[in-house]
Amino acid sequence: MADSMMSKAATMEIPINSNGDSRNLAEDDSLEQAAKIQWRLREKDLQQVMVSGPNLNETSIVSGGYGGTTEGIIPTSSIKGSNMHHGSSNSSMTADEATRGVAVEKFDIVKKWGLNTYKCTKQMISERFGRGSRTVDLELEAQIEVLRETKRKYENVLHLARALTNHFYSMVQTQHALGDTFADLSQKSPELRDEFEYNAETQKLLCKNGETLLGAINFFVSSINTLVNKTMEDTLMTIKMYENARLEFDAYRADLEELNMGPRDAVTMARIEAAQQQYQIHKDKYERLRSDVIIKLKFLEENKVKVMHKQLLLFHNAISAYFAGNQQQLEQTLKQFNIKLKPPGADKPSWLEEQ
């Protein structure tokens, strides 16, 4: 009823006379009463909404302007603000716990490393100044010293063999250039053709034998390099690990002995038990590496004898055949040791050109 009256009021025309008075005062009263009724109805609806409150699960948020289409309406039931906040909070707590766990783990590693370094440094200083005792294996240490001395001597052999290879390669290259020069002069000097040809052939033969000898020396150098810088070096790395384990073992042994000399209260007994465990761990490590060093030294000695017997025989036979001018014996030596030279005229540069 109120809507019909309001609609009537909105569409009613009010004639005004020239003096500004209303023609029909009754109609004015009806309009005023209709407006008051409409306002009371709207006020009542507004109060009811404010008291009861809207149902958020049934309301909507309009993203568009007034009079827009329904495409911009977003149901608020799909928005779970509190759940999203709770989920993000749990994720944040999980990430913080993981980060804290990693930090604690790293701190423990650094702490153990620092404690171990302190003990080893203390033991090293004590040994250097003669105040601390150290575990000594006289027989094993003598073998280790022999190995180090042998490695130094073999490094000198390797250095000299490489120098010989470089010098001899230069000589072979010079002989090759000299042979080409003699051959060219034999074509341009008819009166000395035979003499130049003889010398050209001699230099070419020497160059060929020189390349064969270089192949043997290069094989010798490669084998000595493998023995010195791989086989011996691998054994020395194990020896270094063994020496570090020996130092750690003596450091924790000294720590345990020092604790055993002190009082035997509850705190000290707990520390003695922990020190005993660490002592046993480093003792097992020391004995294991000691056994590894003994085995590697044994196999290294056997391998060294086998390799050097072959390489020294090769070196002797190749050098003797070359300077004796025995080309057949020189080539036979390379076949005996399965050394293959690159045939001349190949596309790729020979190993002599790569030096």
Side-chain angles (χ1 to χ4, degrees):
M1 178 179 177
D3 292 339
S4 60
M5 293 178 66
M6 188 66 185
S7 176
K8 182 179 179 180
T11 56
M12 186 180 297
E13 294 182 359
I14 305 174
I16 304 296
N17 57 15
S18 57
N19 296 324
D21 296 331
S22 174
R23 292 183 179 180
N24 194 346
L25 297 176
E27 291 181 356
D28 292 342
D29 294 338
S30 63
L31 287 176
E32 184 178 357
Q33 291 178 359
K36 288 181 179 180
I37 293 172
Q38 182 69 18
W39 170 251
R40 289 173 182 173
L41 289 174
R42 290 186 177 181
E43 185 178 12
K44 182 178 180 182
D45 293 338
L46 180 60
Q47 290 176 354
Q48 182 179 1
V49 168
M50 293 181 66
V51 171
S52 61
N55 188 353
L56 295 178
N57 293 326
E58 297 177 356
T59 58
S60 300
I61 299 175
V62 181
S63 61
Y66 179 80
T69 62
T70 58
E71 294 179 356
I73 298 177
I74 306 172
T76 56
S77 59
S78 64
I79 301 176
K80 306 294 182 181
S82 60
N83 292 336
M84 292 175 62
H85 179 73
H86 184 67
S88 62
S89 177
N90 290 338
S91 300
S92 177
M93 290 177 62
T94 304
D96 291 343
E97 291 176 357
T99 305
R100 190 180 299 108
V102 172
V104 171
E105 183 179 357
K106 289 183 177 181
F107 176 77
D108 290 340
I109 293 174
V110 173
K111 181 180 178 181
K112 292 179 181 179
W113 174 83
L115 182 61
N116 185 74
T117 303
Y118 166 74
K119 291 181 181 295
C120 292
T121 304
K122 179 181 177 182
Q123 177 66 22
M124 185 185 301
I125 295 174
S126 299
E127 292 177 3
R128 183 166 298 181
F129 287 96
R131 294 195 298 266
S133 61
R134 64 186 298 265
T135 303
V136 180
D137 189 332
L138 296 177
E139 183 179 358
L140 183 58
E141 291 190 0
Q143 294 178 7
I144 293 173
E145 186 59 32
V146 169
L147 171 60
R148 286 173 174 154
E149 182 65 23
T150 302
K151 185 173 184 290
R152 285 192 291 267
K153 292 180 179 180
Y154 275 55
E155 286 174 341
N156 188 41
V157 170
L158 180 62
H159 173 73
L160 295 174
R162 283 173 172 167
L164 176 64
T165 302
N166 293 332
H167 296 322
F168 198 77
Y169 172 74
S170 298
M171 187 185 75
V172 169
Q173 291 296 101
T174 303
Q175 288 175 337
H176 186 275
L178 189 59
D180 291 341
T181 304
F182 284 156
D184 182 64
L185 287 173
S186 67
Q187 300 295 327
K188 298 179 180 179
S189 302
E191 66 281 1
L192 297 173
R193 177 176 300 174
D194 294 338
E195 289 80 358
F196 277 127
E197 286 182 353
Y198 293 152
N199 281 277
E201 291 297 328
T202 301
Q203 294 301 320
K204 289 181 180 180
L205 180 60
L206 290 174
C207 183
K208 180 181 178 181
N209 292 343
E211 290 180 350
T212 305
L213 178 60
L214 278 172
I217 298 176
N218 186 68
F219 185 77
F220 175 81
V221 169
S222 177
S223 300
I224 300 299
N225 180 66
T226 301
L227 177 64
V228 172
N229 294 320
K230 292 185 179 180
T231 310
M232 290 185 178
E233 189 63 30
D234 177 71
T235 304
L236 288 173
M237 287 296 295
T238 306
I239 290 173
K240 185 177 180 180
M241 294 170 61
Y242 157 74
E243 291 176 342
N244 291 336
R246 196 279 309 165
L247 182 63
E248 290 180 349
F249 166 66
D250 283 337
Y252 283 91
R253 176 182 55 81
D255 186 44
L256 180 60
E257 291 175 354
E258 183 179 352
L259 288 174
N260 285 327
M261 294 173 61
R264 294 304 182 95
D265 54 8
V267 177
T268 306
M269 291 302 298
R271 294 179 60 188
I272 290 175
E273 184 179 355
Q276 181 68 38
Q277 294 177 357
Q278 292 297 322
Y279 165 79
Q280 190 62 41
I281 292 173
H282 288 87
K283 181 182 179 181
D284 294 340
K285 180 181 178 182
Y286 163 74
E287 292 179 349
R288 183 180 68 253
L289 287 172
R290 178 178 176 274
S291 177
D292 292 346
V293 170
I294 293 174
I295 293 173
K296 284 200 172 186
L297 285 173
K298 179 181 178 181
F299 283 112
L300 175 61
E301 184 65 22
E302 295 175 355
N303 186 43
K304 182 192 70 174
V305 172
K306 181 179 178 180
V307 170
M308 292 308 299
H309 174 77
K310 177 181 179 180
Q311 296 303 318
L312 291 173
L313 184 62
L314 164 67
F315 191 81
H316 173 268
N317 291 345
I319 292 290
S320 300
Y322 174 80
F323 285 100
N326 192 338
Q327 180 181 358
Q328 184 178 0
Q329 181 64 32
L330 182 59
E331 293 177 353
Q332 185 64 31
T333 299
L334 267 67
K335 291 180 181 179
Q336 178 183 354
F337 294 96
N338 297 321
I339 301 174
K340 296 181 179 180
L341 297 178
K342 189 168 183 172
D347 295 334
K348 296 182 180 179
S350 65
W351 65 270
L352 290 174
E353 297 173 351
E354 296 175 353
Q355 295 293 327

